[in-house]
């Protein structure tokens, strides 16, 4: 990895799309930003799809990872408080993401991201993957991030547009951009072959490559896939965030990428400040010892500050997370103590809410559909025009396929009949060297063909001397009905010449 970072073209940091598991990226990004800031500062590009693109945008776009983490946990709580979860008609995930991006990203975010952030998109027209890295305004940044986060049917029916072109979730076509490049640091919340990812305890070595994302076959990954669309409790998301921080820290330690000093952002008390300055002044005579003491003091103060407040999750999280991120997670994991919240936890109330769902859901659906319709008014002309084009394309494709199929059926039948007629051997032949002309279906042409045979060449000469009755008497012998005349027609296969034998009566 050290050799990789010394490449001429630089390295790339790529975040995988993962839905609500984006808190894992926030923890990993916080670790990279704090423990190895040169990885983010000197990286050639930061790539991502869906939630990975959101994390990358906040990381290099001037946003706050702490606020982003709090927003993700708030979004998960908003989705869980409904009976149908994120599938409830009142849950508008795209609107919540849009409002959160406008709140977090500064006005000049497009200047910070252009050429630095690469967002993976999937074009609706042909399903091809598109990487967007140049932006002219903050509005374009938000539009690209919304397109990359749009999961069809889950987020809606009409995909958003970027510069007049419709796009959907980039994870459908490329969930981990530049995955195959040797100069890419890949980050994924699914256990697999990525650089920063959870280490699976399963002994199953089978894995699958899902749109450039290595995912190991295990129960843990199956559970994580369900958590990506249906969020777990905020406490579980907090643990996932801590795991992202821990996995990124392990990666930095294994590859020797930790920075010389630890960036500590703490609100030091007056007593802590005096202890820290005294220790630094006492070791100022020895520069090497001063650096070691400084690093030790930074680590100790970080751990002490993390232990000041009660933490609802695992105690090992105190050793890793920075204080501001820990505080944000702590506030997000706190449960409301209102009367309605407490009553809704009881089993009778939950059963009653599910029993009333067939009656309340239609009313709620109609109400929130009306609200979305009002919000949709500015975009109705463009969306209706796009739907008309899509409908015309579908109808045209169906019509062309049906037309080709209907026209191909008669041609196949006639070709088969013609082939059968041409390959069927004749039942009688007068001369092996004689080639029969093509038989016509008309009775007049049939009569002409019969009288043009070699054995019948002299009949037209005699036709002028004999009557109509004699014509039938002089007819060729093979045209006489053998059953009525008592003549049996035999064929010699060796000589290919026919002869007549009288039947013995």
């Amino acid at each position: 990895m050290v050799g990789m970072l010394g490449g001429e073209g630089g390295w790339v940091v790529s975040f995988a799309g993962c839905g609500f598991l984006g808190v894992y990226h926030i923890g990993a990004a916080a670790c990279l930003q704090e423990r190895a800031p040169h990885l983010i500062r000197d990286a050639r590009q930061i790539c991502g799809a869906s939630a990975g693109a959101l994390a990358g945008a906040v990381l290099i776009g001037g946003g706050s990872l702490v606020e982003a983490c709090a927003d993700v946990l708030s979004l998960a709580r908003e989705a869980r408080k409904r009976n149908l979860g994120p599938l409830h008609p009142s849950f508008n995930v795209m609107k919540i993401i849009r409002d959160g991006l406008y709140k977090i990203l500064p006005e000049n975010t497009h200047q910070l991201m252009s050429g630095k952030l690469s967002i993976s998109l999937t074009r609706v027209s042909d399903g091809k993957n598109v990487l967007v890295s140049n932006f002219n305004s903050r509005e374009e940044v938000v539009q690209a991030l919304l397109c990359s986060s749009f999961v069809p049917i889950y987020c809606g029916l009409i995909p958003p547009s970027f510069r007049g072109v419709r796009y959907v979730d980039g994870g459908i076509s490329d969930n981990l951009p530049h995955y195959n490049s040797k100069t890419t640091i890949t980050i994924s919340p699914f256990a697999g072959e990525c650089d920063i990812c959870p280490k699976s305890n399963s002994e199953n070595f089978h894995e699958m490559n899902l749109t450039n994302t290595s995912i190991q076959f295990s129960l843990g990954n199956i559970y994580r896939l369900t958590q990506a669309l249906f969020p777990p409790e905020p406490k579980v998301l907090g643990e996932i965030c801590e795991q992202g921080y821990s996995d990124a820290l392990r990666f930095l330690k294994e590859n020797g990428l930790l920075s010389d000093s630890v960036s500590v952002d703490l609100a030091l008390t007056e007593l802590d400040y005096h202890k820290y300055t005294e220790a630094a002044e006492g070791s100022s005579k020895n520069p090497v010892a001063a650096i070691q003491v400084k690093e030790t003091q930074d680590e100790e103060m970080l751990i002490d500050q993390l232990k000041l407040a009660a933490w609802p999750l695992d105690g090992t999280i105190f050793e890793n997370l920075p204080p501001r991120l820990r505080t944000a997670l702590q506030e997000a994991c706190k449960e409301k103590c209102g009367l309605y919240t407490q009553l809704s936890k009881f089993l009778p109330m939950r059963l009653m809410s599910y029993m009333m769902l067939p009656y309340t859901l239609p009313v709620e659906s109609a109400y929130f559909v009306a609200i979305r319709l009002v919000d949709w008014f500015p975009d109705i002309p463009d969306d209706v025009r796009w739907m008309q084009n899509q409908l015309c394309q579908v109808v045209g494709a169906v019509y062309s396929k049906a037309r080709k199929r209907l026209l191909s059926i008669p041609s196949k039948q006639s070709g088969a009949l013609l082939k059968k007629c041409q390959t069927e051997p004749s039942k009688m032949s007068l001369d092996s060297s004689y080639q029969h002309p093509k038989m016509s279906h008309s009775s007049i042409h049939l009569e002409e063909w019969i009288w043009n045979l070699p054995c019948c060449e002299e009949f037209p000469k005699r036709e002028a001397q004999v009557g109509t009755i004699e014509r039938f008497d002089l007819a060729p012998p093979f045209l006489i009905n053998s059953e009525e005349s008592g003549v049996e027609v035999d064929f010699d296969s060796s000589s290919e010449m026919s002869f007549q034998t009288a039947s013995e009566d």
Side-chain angles (χ1 to χ4, degrees):
M1 183 61 66
V2 177
M4 178 198 73
L5 297 181
E8 297 180 357
W11 61 92
V12 176
V13 180
S14 184
F15 294 91
C18 53
F20 284 98
L21 298 184
V23 292
Y24 182 92
H25 293 327
I26 294 177
C31 180
L32 296 178
Q33 191 179 52
E34 179 187 12
R35 301 300 182 97
H38 61 282
L39 288 181
I40 305 299
R41 183 183 63 252
D42 301 333
R44 175 168 53 91
Q45 221 173 31
I46 307 295
C47 304
S50 188
L54 295 175
V58 176
L59 180 62
I60 66 175
S64 173
L65 292 174
V66 175
E67 294 182 8
C69 183
D71 290 342
V72 174
L73 268 66
S74 177
L75 180 64
R77 184 185 292 107
E78 189 72 15
R80 287 180 55 86
K81 73 179 185 180
R82 295 166 173 81
N83 292 329
L84 298 179
L87 301 180
H88 197 276
S90 63
F91 183 71
N92 192 350
V93 61
M94 300 304 294
K95 183 178 183 301
I96 298 175
I97 294 177
R98 183 189 296 108
D99 295 341
L101 290 175
Y102 279 118
K103 182 183 69 174
I104 295 176
L105 299 179
E107 292 292 337
N108 64 337
T109 186
H110 60 284
Q111 300 175 356
L112 301 174
M113 293 183 183
S114 293
K116 187 74 172 179
L117 177 66
S118 183
I119 302 176
S120 177
L121 305 175
T122 302
R123 193 161 47 209
V124 176
S125 59
D126 55 2
K128 297 293 184 63
N129 181 260
V130 178
L131 294 177
V132 180
S133 57
N134 294 319
F135 311 97
N136 299 322
S137 63
R138 185 177 71 160
E139 179 66 24
E140 287 192 354
V141 174
V142 174
Q143 289 178 358
L145 292 173
L146 290 176
C147 290
S148 183
S149 304
F150 184 87
V151 181
I153 299 177
Y154 181 87
C155 297
L157 299 178
I158 302 176
S161 61
F162 174 72
R163 294 175 181 173
V165 182
R166 302 282 174 171
Y167 296 95
V168 293
D169 190 354
I172 298 176
S173 56
D174 190 357
N175 196 47
L176 196 58
H178 301 290
Y179 170 75
N180 296 323
S181 176
K182 296 181 179 179
T183 60
T184 302
I185 302 175
T186 54
I187 305 174
S188 173
F190 306 104
E193 296 296 329
C194 295
D195 296 321
I196 301 177
C197 66
K199 300 300 179 182
S200 177
N201 297 326
S202 175
E203 297 181 355
N204 187 2
F205 296 100
H206 297 284
E207 64 179 67
M208 63 178 177
N209 189 293
L210 187 62
T211 62
N212 285 343
T213 305
S214 174
I215 300 179
Q216 187 180 20
F217 283 106
S218 62
L219 294 177
N221 276 341
I222 294 176
Y223 183 56
R224 294 186 186 99
L225 287 173
T226 59
Q227 289 176 334
L229 297 178
F230 300 93
E233 296 180 356
K235 291 183 179 181
V236 178
L237 292 177
E239 294 175 354
I240 294 174
C241 180
E242 188 273 335
Q243 187 177 16
Y245 193 99
S246 301
D247 293 337
L249 184 61
R250 182 182 65 250
F251 168 79
L252 296 177
K253 289 181 179 179
E254 291 176 353
N255 294 275
L257 298 176
L258 284 173
S259 59
D260 295 335
S261 60
V262 179
S263 176
V264 182
D265 185 10
L266 301 175
L268 297 178
T269 61
E270 185 177 358
L271 180 61
D272 294 332
Y273 176 77
H274 287 302
K275 289 182 180 179
Y276 177 76
T277 53
E278 290 176 1
E281 291 175 357
S283 59
S284 60
K285 298 180 180 179
N286 189 351
V288 178
I291 294 175
Q292 295 178 352
V293 170
K294 183 177 181 298
E295 292 180 355
T296 304
Q297 290 293 333
D298 288 343
E299 293 285 351
E300 291 179 355
M301 284 188 297
L302 177 63
I303 295 175
D304 292 339
Q305 290 293 326
L306 291 175
K307 291 181 179 179
L308 291 178
W311 177 249
L313 307 180
D314 190 1
T316 58
I317 201 171
F318 298 130
E319 301 176 359
N320 294 326
L321 286 181
R324 289 192 301 171
L325 184 58
R326 175 195 56 80
T327 303
L329 287 175
Q330 184 181 10
E331 293 295 331
C333 292
K334 286 182 179 179
E335 298 181 357
K336 297 181 180 180
C337 299
L339 179 61
Y340 176 78
T341 304
Q342 297 297 328
L343 291 177
S344 61
K345 295 182 180 179
F346 291 106
L347 183 60
M349 296 294 296
R350 296 174 61 184
L351 292 177
M352 186 178 298
S353 63
Y354 282 109
M355 293 175 63
M356 295 294 294
L357 188 62
Y359 305 98
T360 59
L361 183 61
V363 179
E364 293 178 351
S365 300
Y367 174 73
F368 289 106
V369 165
I371 293 179
R372 292 194 182 191
L373 186 61
V374 173
D375 297 335
W376 186 41
F377 278 159
D379 302 328
I380 285 180
D382 295 336
D383 292 344
V384 170
R385 193 180 302 110
W386 176 80
M387 286 189 293
Q388 289 178 351
N389 294 334
Q390 294 297 314
L391 183 60
C392 292
Q393 292 179 4
V394 172
V395 173
V398 173
Y399 170 76
S400 61
K401 289 183 178 180
R403 184 173 178 272
K404 290 180 180 179
R405 189 170 183 84
L406 291 175
L407 293 178
S408 63
I409 292 176
S411 61
K412 290 182 179 180
Q413 291 181 352
S414 60
L417 294 174
L418 180 61
K419 182 178 179 181
K420 182 177 180 182
C421 294
Q422 291 177 351
T423 58
E424 184 177 4
S426 58
K427 296 183 179 179
M428 57 185 68
S429 177
L430 299 178
D431 189 0
S432 59
S433 63
Y434 177 74
Q435 183 178 4
H436 295 281
K438 186 175 179 181
M439 183 182 294
S440 178
H441 296 284
S442 176
S443 59
I444 301 176
H445 294 161
L446 180 61
E447 184 177 357
E448 293 178 358
W449 174 78
I450 293 174
W451 294 108
N452 288 331
L453 291 175
C455 59
C456 302
E457 292 179 353
E458 297 181 356
F459 290 159
K461 298 178 180 180
R462 300 179 183 178
E463 189 175 2
Q465 301 176 1
V466 299
T468 306
I469 300 177
E470 294 179 351
R471 182 186 303 175
F472 288 101
D473 295 336
L474 298 175
F478 64 87
L479 295 177
I480 303 175
N481 193 341
S482 60
E483 295 181 359
E484 297 178 358
S485 62
V487 179
E488 180 178 345
V489 181
D490 295 334
F491 295 91
D492 187 1
S493 58
S494 60
S495 63
E496 297 184 358
M497 296 294 293
S498 61
F499 60 94
Q500 300 178 0
T501 59
S503 58
E504 299 178 358
D505 293 334

